[in-house]
Every structure is written in structure tokens, then in C-alpha cells.
Amino acid sequence: MKELVEVIAKALVDNPEEVVVTEKENGRNLTVELHVAPSDMGKVIGKQGRIAKAIRAVVKAAALGEKKQVDVEII
């Protein structure tokens, strides 16, 4: 999941070298934290959160095969 979020985020932002993705696992739950430069925050969130929702939807669809609950947090 970490690699998936990283690839998507780097394609969206102006400063891909500042994209940092970390994973925290707690049993069946997995939290993926996405850190981007403050100037790129709007590009990752999108208008009315549409891009953020799309990223979360793609990650949740990819997690169905692994039977895990995945949450994406944009920090």
C-alpha cells in the first residue's frame, strides 16, 4: 500500500522529493500517512476533497485482496 500511495502522490505534486509515506499496522488495520510539502497540500486534497477521496478509494480497492482495513491520512 505504501508504494501505491507514494506513486500516486508523486504524480500529483510539484515537489515529489518531499513526499513521505509511512505505514502503521495495528492488527487488521493499516494506516498509511502521506506527508507532502505545504505548497502541494491543495493538489493532493483537490477541490472539495475529490482527489483525496479518489486516493482512498483506490487504496481500499487494492486492500480487498489482502483482507485488511486501510485508512489514508494526509498530513
Side-chain angles (χ1 to χ4, degrees):
M1 294 304 138
K2 178 180 177 179
E3 295 83 16
L4 176 62
V5 173
E6 191 171 346
V7 167
I8 293 171
K10 284 186 177 183
L12 292 171
V13 298
D14 289 333
N15 302 315
E17 64 278 353
E18 293 191 37
V19 172
V20 178
V21 180
T22 57
E23 288 182 334
K24 294 182 180 178
E25 192 163 349
N26 183 9
R28 283 191 31 190
N29 296 331
L30 178 67
T31 302
V32 180
E33 294 180 349
L34 172 61
H35 301 267
V36 296
S39 60
D40 290 328
M41 189 64 75
K43 291 181 175 142
V44 174
I45 295 173
K47 291 184 180 177
Q48 297 179 355
R50 288 185 182 144
I51 294 175
K53 288 178 189 175
I55 292 171
R56 289 182 178 114
V58 169
V59 170
K60 285 185 182 194
L64 288 176
E66 297 180 18
K67 297 190 183 194
K68 287 196 173 200
Q69 173 98 20
V70 179
D71 295 321
V72 178
E73 292 183 6
I74 301 170
I75 301 173

